[in-house]
Amino acid sequence: MKKILFFSTIFIGFVAASCKVDDPFVDRIAAPVLVIFEDPSGTKTSGLTTEPSITSLASTDATITVRLLELNKDGLLDYKVGIDSIPATAVPVTFKLRTGTKISDVTTDATGRSILKVSWKTLGIAAPVAGSSVSLSCSATYKDVSFTKYFRLTATK
């Protein structure tokens, strides 16, 4: 009797462990590109943060620079080659407020950068001061895969 109980417990354990469980919270696919934001000073975000924060001067129009890079992983196992970053060129990028209001479409250049210059008033901040911030998103489609990256723009002196 002990043997039957032992083997049935092992069998139930194998059956339970072999079941595929879907993620109950978020159905995701990886973005086809690495999205990196750059400040006007050239400071880059890591691209890996959930919500990167960039800054722009409060005294002038806001400048948002986003760079899209495709990662070529063909040389991943060769330490002499590694992963290569290839600029994603001619990709239309849509900038929106988090409310869904579209700000503008900007196409990436030969270096994979798209630069948006927009007034703070268009972003919903009539008189920006240091510390004023707005939550935004940029969306695009690359190789038939749509993606969106959220970020925050903060005014500086």
Side-chain angles (χ1 to χ4, degrees), residues 9-134:
T9 304
I10 290 176
F11 177 73
I12 291 172
F14 280 124
V15 170
S18 67
C19 296
K20 180 183 178 209
V21 178
D22 292 329
D23 184 355
F25 302 106
V26 180
D27 186 23
R28 299 183 189 193
I29 31 176
V33 293
L34 179 62
V35 180
I36 299 176
F37 291 94
E38 298 176 0
D39 283 341
S41 63
T43 305
K44 297 173 180 61
T45 64
S46 67
L48 301 176
T49 56
T50 305
E51 186 178 272
S53 183
I54 58 171
T55 59
S56 189
L57 293 173
S59 59
T60 62
D61 285 347
T63 302
I64 303 167
T65 303
V66 64
R67 189 165 187 206
L68 305 180
L69 298 171
E70 181 180 6
L71 300 178
N72 180 355
K73 300 175 188 171
D74 291 342
L76 182 64
L77 298 177
D78 185 355
Y79 73 92
K80 295 176 188 171
V81 178
I83 298 174
D84 191 16
S85 302
I86 303 166
T89 60
V91 177
V93 178
T94 302
F95 290 92
K96 293 181 181 180
L97 296 172
R98 294 276 183 92
T99 60
T101 305
K102 183 177 174 180
I103 299 169
S104 183
D105 288 325
V106 182
T107 304
T108 58
D109 60 13
T111 63
R113 283 184 179 86
S114 63
I115 301 171
L116 173 67
K117 291 190 183 231
V118 63
S119 70
W120 284 98
K121 189 173 184 177
T122 303
L123 298 174
I125 301 174
V129 294
S132 299
S133 68
V134 61

